[in-house]
C-alpha cells in the first residue's frame, strides 16, 4: 500500500494544476480579446486595398450589433466602401470615419467584415480607433496607443505599411481650375449735354459715313445698314425742318 501513495499524490497534484490553469485562462479570456486589422496590400499609396477587421467577442451574454471606426489621416470616409460583412449589416459614413452594424450577432461570435479603400496614404503605419457596441448596450473602446514603451490595455488596431512603390503618387486630386476669361470692360456712353448742338448736316454726314464704312468692310450686318439708312432719313427730315425755320427767321428780320 505505501508504494501507491506517491502515485495518488502526483495524480492529485496534476488535477489541481489543470484546474488552476483552466481557471486562469478563463479569467484571462476577456483580456486577450481585441480588435485587429489586416490588408491584402499593406503598402503606402497602394490602390483599391481590402482591409479586414476582426473584433473578438468578450461577452457571454450579448453579441455585437455595431462597430465604429475612426479613419486615420489620409483616408476620406467617402473613399471607403463595404466589401463583406455579417448578414444584414450595412456601412454608414460618419464625419470622421464609418460604422458597420445591423442585427446583433450571437454571443461569443466575432464581428468580422471587410472594406475597400480607394488608396492608402503615404505613411509608416495607420491607426484605426475602434468602438464596439454590444446588444446589451455595453461598449468596448479600442482606441489606445503605446506610450512610454508600455503596452496599452485596450490598443487600437494598427496597420504597418511598407514603403510606397517607385513612381506611386496620390490620386483623386481635382484638376486645377482654369480661370474663366475676363470679359472686356464696356465703356459707358459719354453723356451729352443738352446745350451741345449738332447741325443736321453734320449728323447726316456722320450717319452716311458709318453706313458706307460698314458696307465696304463687309463686317456689318444687314440690320446695321438698314439702321443707318433709317437714321439718315430721320436726319434729313430734321434738317429740312431746321433749314425752313432758319429761313423764316431770316425773312422776319
Amino acid at each position: 500500500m505505501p508504494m501507491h501513495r506517491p502515485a495518488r499524490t502526483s495524480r492529485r497534484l496534476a488535477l489541481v494544476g489543470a484546474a488552476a490553469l483552466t481557471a486562469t485562462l478563463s479569467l484571462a479570456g476577456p483580456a486577450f480579446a481585441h480588435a485587429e486589422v489586416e490588408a491584402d496590400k499593406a503598402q503606402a499609396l497602394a490602390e483599391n486595398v481590402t482591409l479586414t477587421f476582426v473584433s473578438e467577442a468578450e461577452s457571454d451574454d450579448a453579441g455585437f450589433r455595431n462597430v465604429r471606426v475612426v479613419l486615420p489621416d489620409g483616408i476620406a470616409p467617402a473613399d471607403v466602401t463595404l466589401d463583406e460583412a455579417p448578414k444584414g449589416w450595412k456601412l454608414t459614413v460618419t464625419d470622421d470615419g464609418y460604422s458597420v452594424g445591423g442585427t446583433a450577432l450571437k454571443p461569443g461570435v466575432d464581428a468580422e467584415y471587410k472594406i475597400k479603400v480607394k488608396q492608402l496614404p503615404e505613411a509608416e503605419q495607420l491607426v484605426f480607433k475602434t468602438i464596439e457596441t454590444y446588444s446589451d448596450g455595453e461598449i468596448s473602446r479600442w482606441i489606445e496607443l503605446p506610450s512610454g514603451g508600455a503596452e496599452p490595455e485596450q490598443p487600437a488596431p494598427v496597420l504597418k505599411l511598407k514603403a510606397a512603390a517607385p513612381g506611386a503618387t496620390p490620386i483623386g486630386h481635382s484638376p486645377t481650375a482654369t480661370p474663366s476669361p475676363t470679359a472686356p470692360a464696356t465703356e459707358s456712353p459719354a453723356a451729352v449735354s443738352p446745350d451741345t448742338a449738332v447741325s443736321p448736316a453734320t449728323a447726316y454726314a456722320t450717319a452716311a459715313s458709318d453706313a458706307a464704312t460698314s458696307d465696304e468692310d463687309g463686317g456689318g450686318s444687314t440690320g446695321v445698314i438698314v439702321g443707318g439708312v433709317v437714321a439718315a432719313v430721320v436726319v434729313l427730315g430734321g434738317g429740312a425742318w431746321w433749314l425752313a425755320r432758319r429761313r423764316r427767321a431770316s425773312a422776319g428780320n
Side-chain angles (χ1 to χ4, degrees):
M1 290 293 294
M3 295 182 63
H4 295 287
R5 190 170 299 167
R8 287 201 300 270
T9 302
S10 298
R11 194 160 47 246
R12 186 176 300 169
L13 289 175
L15 292 174
V16 171
L21 179 60
T22 302
T24 301
L25 292 176
S26 175
L27 292 174
F32 286 103
H34 57 280
E36 298 178 337
V37 59
E38 295 180 352
D40 62 345
K41 293 179 286 187
Q43 186 174 25
L45 298 181
E47 301 177 25
N48 298 319
V49 179
T50 299
L51 301 181
T52 301
F53 290 84
V54 178
S55 290
E56 297 181 356
E58 57 181 350
S59 174
D60 295 330
D61 303 319
F64 289 113
R65 66 177 175 83
N66 184 272
V67 177
R68 183 175 180 275
V69 173
V70 177
L71 290 171
D73 292 339
I75 300 180
D79 292 337
V80 173
T81 56
L82 186 62
D83 191 31
E84 293 182 16
K87 186 177 180 179
W89 280 33
K90 297 181 179 180
L91 182 144
T92 302
V93 174
T94 62
D95 291 338
D96 56 1
Y98 65 88
S99 66
V100 180
T103 304
L105 304 180
K106 294 181 179 180
V109 176
D110 296 343
E112 181 175 351
Y113 66 92
K114 298 180 180 181
I115 63 171
K116 189 173 289 291
V117 179
K118 185 177 180 180
Q119 184 182 41
L120 297 181
E122 189 166 11
E124 294 181 356
Q125 66 176 27
L126 301 175
V127 178
F128 298 86
K129 295 183 179 181
T130 302
I131 301 173
E132 306 162 346
T133 302
Y134 289 84
S135 57
D136 61 356
E138 189 71 22
I139 296 177
S140 293
R141 294 178 173 85
W142 302 95
I143 59 176
E144 299 177 0
L145 296 176
S147 177
E151 192 68 24
E153 293 184 3
Q154 292 184 296
V158 177
L159 179 65
K160 303 286 186 179
L161 300 181
K162 298 178 182 178
T169 57
I171 62 175
H173 296 291
S174 301
T176 304
T178 304
S180 58
T182 304
T186 302
E187 296 182 0
S188 59
V192 179
S193 172
D195 297 333
T196 303
V198 179
S199 67
T202 302
Y204 170 75
T206 302
S209 175
D210 292 342
T213 301
S214 298
D215 186 52
E216 290 175 1
D217 292 342
S221 64
T222 303
V224 173
I225 297 174
V226 172
V229 173
V230 172
V233 171
V234 173
V235 171
L236 284 174
W241 173 84
W242 182 77
L243 289 174
R245 184 178 180 182
R246 187 170 182 180
R247 287 175 181 172
R248 285 197 301 270
S250 299
N253 292 333

